[in-house]
Amino acid sequence: MSSLTPASGPVPLEWSKKAIFGAVFAILGFATTWLVFGLLFASIAAILGHVARYECIAHSLRGRRFATFSLWLSYFSLFSFPLIVLLVGLSFPAVQKWRADQETKHRAESRAQASRLFVACEAYARANRDHYPAEWKELSGRFLPAEELADLLESPYPGGPRVAFEIVPHDRPVLEAIGDSVIVIQEVAPPRISEIAVVYANGRVAGLHNPDHEAP
């Protein structure tokens, strides 16, 4: 008894170039969906996908699966773009607020550090004939623990210098009448920071424009 096999047409050997290029553009469009030109890639992929599907059927070419893949992926990218824009638009104010809160937090930390260093310098001055230390290391041990001194000197801003404060040379003793205008400690902040902390001779901590600030 002989078995019957269904008749089948010839297997297509030639590939549809449009199907291949459509798949490539679909992947590029998906990878760059968050960019404007990602829409261009996705649109080209959708057009090539439609043409390739027709071409594969009409001319018995290989690549129909590539064409289908490019259609699905390109349309997914096209429909995802508005959603991405919406999410970015909604998250941008939140990101800006978070950055502002972080800068406010770091600014408060720098002022607290400067104030603590001022107290240590004043204690040093009382023990050394009203002279401020020439170097920060002179405070280490008696006036501040070494670890605490290192922490106080380090910049609170990410990427800031390890020694973020400097002693400003000034005549001692400072007259009370000008104590609110003579800076004795000054912060060194990264250029992106617009304001630095300073301490006046009367102990007042304030903020001044960063001379190294670079506007974005």
Side-chain angles (χ1 to χ4, degrees), residues 3-200:
S3 59
L4 299 176
T5 56
S8 59
V11 178
L13 299 177
E14 186 178 352
W15 282 86
S16 169
K17 294 180 180 179
K18 294 182 179 62
I20 297 173
F21 282 112
V24 172
F25 276 105
I27 294 173
L28 290 175
F30 177 75
T32 56
T33 304
W34 55 284
L35 299 173
V36 176
F37 58 80
L39 291 177
L40 176 62
F41 290 149
S43 299
I44 294 174
I47 295 172
L48 290 175
H50 282 293
V51 174
R53 278 178 61 86
Y54 170 79
E55 190 177 61
C56 290
I57 296 173
H59 302 288
S60 299
L61 299 178
R62 301 178 69 180
R64 187 172 179 179
R65 291 183 179 179
F66 278 178
T68 303
F69 168 78
S70 64
L71 282 174
W72 278 98
L73 191 58
S74 61
Y75 278 118
F76 176 80
S77 301
L78 290 171
F79 288 124
S80 297
F81 182 78
L83 179 61
I84 293 175
V85 171
L86 178 62
L87 291 175
V88 170
L90 292 176
S91 63
F92 183 76
V95 172
Q96 291 295 97
K97 183 180 184 304
W98 178 82
R99 288 181 176 177
D101 290 344
Q102 287 296 108
E103 186 169 342
T104 300
K105 173 187 173 184
H106 293 148
R107 189 175 298 167
E109 290 175 355
S110 70
R111 292 191 179 193
Q113 290 172 225
S115 179
R116 182 70 182 90
L117 289 170
F118 170 79
V119 172
C121 285
E122 287 293 305
Y124 179 95
R126 286 193 295 270
N128 291 273
R129 299 181 180 180
D130 209 34
H131 292 298
Y132 258 39
E135 298 178 346
W136 287 118
K137 64 181 180 181
E138 295 180 41
L139 296 177
S140 181
R142 180 181 176 185
F143 301 98
L144 279 174
E147 291 185 1
E148 182 181 357
L149 177 60
D151 290 340
L152 290 174
L153 291 176
E154 189 170 357
S155 175
Y157 299 102
R162 291 186 61 84
V163 179
F165 297 89
E166 55 186 14
I167 300 172
V168 180
H170 57 284
D171 295 330
R172 302 285 297 180
V174 179
L175 298 178
E176 185 176 350
I178 60 173
D180 61 346
S181 61
V182 178
I183 296 175
V184 295
I185 295 176
Q186 180 172 296
E187 181 183 13
V188 179
R192 69 177 186 279
I193 305 303
S194 61
E195 184 180 292
I196 60 173
V198 296
V199 186
Y200 293 96

